[in-house]
Amino acid sequence: MSEAGPGPGPVAASVCASATAAGGAGGGADALLVRCRALVRPALARAVGQLHPWTSEMAAFSLGWADVDGTPEPGASEGKGVRQALAVLGAEAVGADGRAAVAGAVAVELVHAFSLLHDDIMDGDTVRRQRATVWKAYGTGPAVLAGDALFALAVQSLAEVPGRHTGPAVRRLGGTLTDLVRGQAEDLCFEGRPWTGPGAVPPDAYRAMAEHKTGSLLGCAAALGALLGGAPDTTVAALDRAGRHLGVAFQAVDDLLGVWGDPAVTGKPVHSDLRRRKKTYPVLAALAADTPAARELAALLDTTGTPAVTGSAALPGPGATLDDPATAAHAAFLVERAGGRDATLREAADQLDAARACLRGVPLAPGPSRELDALLEFLLHRVV
Amino acid sequence: MSEAGPGPGPVAASVCASATAAGGAGGGADALLVRCRALVRPALARAVGQLHPWTSEMAAFSLGWADVDGTPEPGASEGKGVRQALAVLGAEAVGADGRAAVAGAVAVELVHAFSLLHDDIMDGDTVRRQRATVWKAYGTGPAVLAGDALFALAVQSLAEVPGRHTGPAVRRLGGTLTDLVRGQAEDLCFEGRPWTGPGAVPPDAYRAMAEHKTGSLLGCAAALGALLGGAPDTTVAALDRAGRHLGVAFQAVDDLLGVWGDPAVTGKPVHSDLRRRKKTYPVLAALAADTPAARELAALLDTTGTPAVTGSAALPGPGATLDDPATAAHAAFLVERAGGRDATLREAADQLDAARACLRGVPLAPGPSRELDALLEFLLHRVV
């Protein structure tokens, strides 16, 4: 059953064949993320410090700044800060000082922390970044409260920015918040839909979900930076669209990692998304193919917990479910054979191209524009 | 043990001795609430209709518009709409058309629905307005999502208002959201504090909690109405302060109902807050008294689940807890004997007077001003 292994090598290597064009996508983006975190961190820490001590403690834990007892844990479990970097670069790309974007960067990071926190409750996830999730560490009720506190703080932080950009900035954040929640609703509703037939999830519905759930906040981050940096509406809108495409690409790569990612790096069990029967892009794309592997995959998925009777030597025996590692591995093999992996790589590359086209369509300062490119590619290369 | 009964007659009758001064506080306020609900409802329904169908269904259930299957249930379990009425009256009191306040009214009603929904999860409450709570009816994860959707929609609805008032309006809402969440955090943290001694909850901490948890949104409602109606800052601030005082009064009455309210009217078991060991104003005020009843109450509360050994004939026997109806009834008797009930009535009356003083300190149109007075008194007279 060696052919049912986790697939040909690391996922990320082949996502962006053109990545090297921008140069330094790895180290350059790392340094950029460090710089943006350093710029935004004081204001972010100040905002979190304004919360009630209890919610502040949970917020610090969720941001990776402290352990569950409140002991500072500098950087150990901190996120990369992609959204704050997009905000800072959004401002710099329109010729403003990155500091103009700080309030927007704080708001999007807080919204991101809120959404991870509440999504972990809804998804029942117990581990994030190699640590317990907030609900697992503090209880469900307190985690709901901590998420609400971050959400409220995001709105307040941005609304308190003095100046003429506040109204449009908060309007943009408000639309993003509803998009984000809509995306989570769509994703949860996918779970109840069939794998095949008229009720199955078409690729466009998946893209809309990914754009809402992931793209809206990435787009908002870049757009807020530009807006607070004084950019014209067309530039702000282009950065928003770029971020939305990036979000779909990001989600597609996330889906690849959820099936073929290295557990030591992702912190999730191998084939975790398959075992949870998530409606991910690779599986949906595989099922859409008209091939024997696609049909075998459909039969396997439709008969979870019951014997998959197809006579294939690679198929697991009677009684197998996707919880069974061998069955999940076989499903991953079928997804790949039916073209699901390649289709997802293409989708990610296409969305990345679309994001780049949005950026090329408006006048941006060359230096920050190159940094934006590097960040885009870094995100698609990520292995966590 | 008849002396350990639920206390002398209905709570609400004695709260506002001066209520009749405004005339028609009952019927007048009812008609006013109906008028404001009719004015705001189309915009509120339009906003809720923009949500993802699943969250829209849960939102409609939480607002009392539909049953758990989505079947319309007009008015049966709908709230009174106090916050939307305060917003409309806030605008009318500053000489504007009530329609100017509609976006603000929608926002505060959505925030209120969000806070009930998430608070019910945190508090583990299974019944609200004689129906299952959202988490009980749909599950915890979906209820978290529905609350988030309402929260996001509130921000978006207000942020999208065209005109120069949007920035200040959203700034006010942002501050209110963080206050609201802080109040819930404070209330939950009270549960872990001792009844007596240095860690006990002092009255000022209770007032701050009630102002945050209940007063901030009532104040925001009235202030948003005035702000959207074009009032000067001093008037807006006065209406906000009036609402905050009203909130503390409202919470105090709520606490009275939680101990002595009629279960047939409140929908909660008799002595429910006592049985849940909530740190309510009547109990805190009783414990602050230096009387035998206060000391007996302290001993009873400090020995939950263990025999209360004081020799009083009225005391329940060994092994009693506050879950035991007779013990809870005796605790209610002691709260009253130690002056907790009277102190709470005084607190509510004082806060109501302070609210009225805020309203008298700024120029308001006479008709809407009288309606505001009637609404204030109606709220303190409420028995649900």
Side-chain angles (χ1 to χ4, degrees), chain A residues 50-55 114 118 121-122 140-142 144-145 148-149 151-153 155-156 159-161 166-167 170-171 174-175 177-178 181-182 184-186 188-189, chain B residues 50-55 114 118 121-122 140-142 144-145 148-149 151-153 155-156 159-161 166-167 170-171 174-175 177-178 181-182 184-186 188-189:
Chain A
Q50 286 170 17
L51 293 174
H52 182 276
W54 188 32
T55 49
F114 142 78
H118 277 191
I121 299 172
M122 294 177 223
T140 300
V144 173
L145 181 75
D148 292 346
F151 199 160
L153 189 61
V155 177
Q156 189 187 26
E160 282 181 355
V161 176
T166 306
V170 177
R171 192 168 307 131
L177 293 171
T178 51
V181 179
R182 172 179 293 271
Q184 174 68 358
E186 288 165 338
L188 290 173
C189 283
Chain B
Q50 285 170 17
L51 293 173
H52 181 277
W54 188 33
T55 49
F114 142 78
H118 277 192
I121 299 172
M122 296 178 222
T140 299
V144 173
L145 181 76
D148 292 346
F151 199 160
L153 188 62
V155 177
Q156 189 187 26
E160 283 181 354
V161 177
T166 305
V170 176
R171 192 169 306 132
L177 293 172
T178 52
V181 179
R182 173 179 293 272
Q184 174 68 357
E186 288 165 338
L188 291 174
C189 283

Side-chain angles (χ1 to χ4, degrees), chain B residues 157-367:
Chain B
S157 302
L158 192 62
E160 283 181 354
V161 177
R164 67 193 166 90
H165 300 309
T166 305
V170 176
R171 192 169 306 132
R172 199 162 270 281
L173 186 72
T176 300
L177 293 172
T178 52
D179 271 0
L180 195 74
V181 179
R182 173 179 293 272
Q184 174 68 357
E186 288 165 338
D187 199 18
L188 291 174
C189 283
F190 284 176
E191 289 178 12
R193 289 171 67 168
W195 289 101
T196 54
V201 179
D204 273 353
Y206 174 94
R207 280 186 202 102
M209 177 280 290
E211 183 184 324
H212 292 141
K213 183 170 170 154
T214 309
S216 62
L217 190 58
L218 294 172
C220 179
L224 276 184
L227 199 165
L228 296 171
D233 290 350
T234 48
T235 304
V236 174
L239 284 172
D240 182 56
R241 281 198 308 278
R244 287 174 175 269
H245 285 298
L246 176 64
V248 182
F250 194 92
Q251 190 63 51
V253 173
D254 222 48
D255 284 358
L256 289 171
L257 295 171
V259 179
W260 294 284
D262 180 354
V265 180
T266 64
K268 296 177 181 176
V270 67
H271 307 136
S272 59
D273 280 356
L274 272 176
R275 293 162 77 171
R276 294 174 56 181
R277 304 178 62 82
K278 282 201 74 172
K279 301 280 187 316
T280 60
Y281 197 90
V283 179
L284 297 174
L287 289 170
D290 185 20
T291 66
R295 286 188 287 277
E296 191 180 332
L297 177 66
L300 180 65
L301 293 171
D302 285 341
T303 55
T304 310
T306 61
V309 190
T310 65
S312 159
L315 263 185
T321 75
L322 285 178
D323 275 338
D324 167 50
T327 311
H330 184 63
F333 164 77
L334 291 173
V335 170
E336 187 170 350
R337 173 155 295 186
R341 182 182 165 110
D342 285 345
T344 308
L345 290 166
R346 274 197 309 277
E347 176 70 20
D350 288 351
Q351 294 285 346
L352 191 64
D353 282 345
R356 284 197 203 97
C358 292
L359 297 178
R360 280 196 304 268
V362 286
L364 298 177

Side-chain angles (χ1 to χ4, degrees), chain B residues 19-42:
Chain B
T20 48
D30 270 337
L32 166 70
L33 288 165
V34 168
R35 173 173 78 82
C36 293
R37 284 203 300 271
L39 180 66
V40 177
R41 178 63 177 269

